[in-house]
Amino acid sequence: LRRARRRRQRATLAELRAKAGARPRPTEHDAVLLFTLERACDALALGEVGDLGLSRDAVVEALAARVRDQLR
């Protein structure tokens, strides 16, 4: 189930990139982006960001910037 979901997520990234007129990226890059997003979102949800004294807004913005960069 998890692997099938991950394949769908990678396909969605490719579709979004194509719609934006962005160049294709290696599948491995998309996988790393998805792993990073999942872990960072878990850290936000579990309160780890706050526990480390980090700004929740800054972490969310950093994630958004990474996604924007990958869709260009």
Side-chain angles (χ1 to χ4, degrees):
L1 179 66
R2 176 173 274 180
R3 289 186 179 121
R5 182 176 58 221
R6 190 74 74 201
R7 282 190 285 277
R8 285 192 307 273
Q9 291 168 338
R10 286 191 347 242
T12 298
L13 280 173
E15 290 171 18
L16 290 170
R17 206 175 275 121
K19 286 180 183 179
R23 64 182 169 83
R25 304 251 179 162
T27 302
E28 293 82 2
H29 289 208
D30 288 345
V32 169
L33 174 64
L34 292 170
F35 298 148
T36 301
L37 288 171
E38 182 175 2
R39 180 62 192 106
C41 289
D42 286 348
L44 285 161
L46 296 172
E48 292 177 53
V49 170
D51 291 346
L52 293 172
L54 303 173
S55 164
R56 184 182 196 289
D57 291 342
V59 170
V60 170
E61 178 51 39
L63 289 171
R66 182 163 290 199
V67 171
R68 282 192 301 270
D69 288 345
Q70 290 295 315
L71 294 178
R72 292 184 186 152

